[in-house]
Amino acid sequence: MALQADRKALLEGLSGKFRNTIIDTLFKIQTGHPGGSLSAVEIVTTLYFEKMRVDPKNPKWPDRDRFVLGKGHAAPILYVALAKKGFFPEKDLETLRQLGSHLQGHPCAKKTPGVELSTGPLGLGLSAAQGMALGARMDGRDFRTYVLLGDGEIQEGIVWEAAMSAAKFGLDNLTAILDYNKVQLDGTTDEIMPLGDVRAKWESFGWHVIEIDGHKVEEIADALDRAKAVKGRPTIIVARTVKGKGVSFMEGKNTWHGKPISREEYEAAKAELGGGK
Amino acid sequence: MARVMGKAMRQAYGEALVELGKKYKDLVVFDADVASSTRTIMFSQAHPDRFFNVGIAEMNMAAMAAGISTTGKIPFINTFACFMVLRCADPIRSLMAYTNLNVKIAGAYAGLSDSYDGASHHAIMDIAFMRSLPNMTVLSPCDGGEAAAATEAAILHQGPVYLRLHRNETPVLTDYSREPFRIGKGKILRDGRDVSIISTGYMVHKALDAAEALEKEGISAGVVNMSTIKPLDEELVLECARKTGRIVTAEEHSVHGGLGGAVAELLARKHPVPMAFVGVQDTFAESGDYEKLLEKYGLTPGAIAGKARGLVRGK
Ligand SMILES: Cc1ncc(C[n+]2csc(CCOP(=O)(O)OP(=O)(O)O)c2C)c(N)n1
Ligand SMILES: [Mg+2]
């Protein structure tokens, strides 16, 4: 079902707000990863505010949909979405990465309500998400498991071990989303480790592949619906994105992977994002 | 005491690699998409034909380095210390240590020094793993100059070497301008009669601060910089035990299996004396400002002095 105009406007509005909050927070704490967080804003927003079945008052509800942030360094966008959703107070965001906070530099499932899996060391997310999907099927539960992968992250060998097994086990209740921004830490993926034909690779491993623009909420929503309809095999949504999206001087730049934001940069970024909080 | 701040170990190491690359033509450097953090980016610019970035694929990097070492090259592999242990463990044990291959393993951001990234990125188990491997040499310098000197010593040593590197700037404690780094030799930085503090890495200057504080209370504490953890300088440890009869170890590592473990294993066999251990207790740490984190987890001059005082007063 196509995304209705009011829903589209709502998701876009939230995305804009979330970008502002991410920049505000990372500027304030002078640490953290802006590039990869901004890249995933629409994807995470559409999941949590349009598609996923979760209950912030009952974060451990057994039938909840699961979201795994494979690329754990994008924790800020996850935290912003979880806070808005009501898993914890929005003012907690100010404590990100500070001593005593439940908001760790990378997601910690033991500390933060709504975080399903501790991530940070790249590559483990897809395998773990598979386990969740397998558990759902064994118990006859109809929840879906979503996992967001970085395109640098898929250079890890374990990702391809998981790609093989998820296909073997026919996990059609698992949807992976690739944040295909073509930039990693040291440079572009082409410079550091070319990914080749991403669609052909996943297809040859037995996956259904959908390609979309990862900043268009209607395309994301539609792809998530289509993935749900695929039976007998897992689906990966290859979402073309821009690392640092929304802040022109960060866009496409590996140097903005994990750099503190200066006062001037903060003001320029806020002007572009239209301010607001 | 106020000390002169020097280069971060990673910076000194990165610069040393560039220079050593000129001297040792067989030197090759691998990184796994963290070259800007480990500082091998400088080597990649100076010696592009001898630098290989394998992307986010640490295990591939390690096994590849094992292979290239059999052709006479001297590879350095680079990633965060935590991923070095967690992802490269198998090639390090099964290829490098087992066959005594000539690979140099540089673990960056060791201890809690990647503080804000959180427990997922801290490396307080690396010494325990590395020192459990036969044939492995484990080096843990305390400042930039020592890190650079240890890098050349690693090249000159035949066999696998783990080089434990810290992220942030450190006070200058050593001077290697007139002597080489000697693997297997610790150094007495301060003499003491009542208690010996055997320390390593970023904790060495904290140990010195602790000794100064203790002196004001009339407790004479010796301080050792144990920059090789394996092979351990047994003679020096035994000399300390005989002389002071009390040992405190201080390290930015779990209290299990690190320097403290190495010293205790030796003393239990050859000269048991009362000991106390400063390190991270059996827990994961958390995100936060580096120095505040060290404080919260008990890695301070005060904590070291407290343990030393306890031993001296027989508590
Ligand atoms: C196993 C592992 N190796 C290295 C790192 C360090 N690291 C964190 S993020 C990153 C780059 C990630 O690039 P990508 O997956 O493309 O993420 P994005 O571009 O979406 O930020 C690296 C190398 C890590 N977290 N885990
Ligand atoms: Mg990327």
Side-chain angles (χ1 to χ4, degrees), chain A residues 123-139:
Chain A
L124 306 179
L126 182 59
S127 294
Q130 254 191 107
M132 295 175 182
L134 198 56
R137 191 169 71 191
M138 288 179 74
D139 287 349

Side-chain angles (χ1 to χ4, degrees), chain A residues 233-253:
Chain A
R233 58 198 171 131
T235 294
I236 182 161
I237 299 170
V238 175
R240 285 184 306 273
T241 52
V242 175
K243 195 154 174 164
K245 173 76 176 178
V247 180
S248 57
F249 60 86
M250 293 185 182
E251 288 188 355
K253 297 258 176 23

Side-chain angles (χ1 to χ4, degrees), chain A residues 31 33 97-100 104-106 111 120-122 124 152 155-156 184-186 192-193, chain B residues 33-36 53-58 83 87 116-117 120-121 286-288 292-293 296:
Chain A
T31 162
H33 299 85
R97 289 183 162 238
Q98 307 308 307
L99 220 57
Q104 295 298 292
H106 294 76
K111 291 194 165 162
L122 293 164
L124 306 179
Q155 293 161 357
E156 287 284 359
Q184 47 193 107
L185 195 158
D186 277 338
I192 305 306
M193 188 51 60
Chain B
D33 197 30
V34 287
S36 35
N53 196 328
V54 303
I56 310 172
E58 294 81 6
F83 307 135
R87 298 294 164 95
Y116 288 107
D117 275 336
S120 59
H121 285 56
E286 62 187 289
S287 291
K292 283 189 195 156
L293 203 57
K296 180 160 175 179

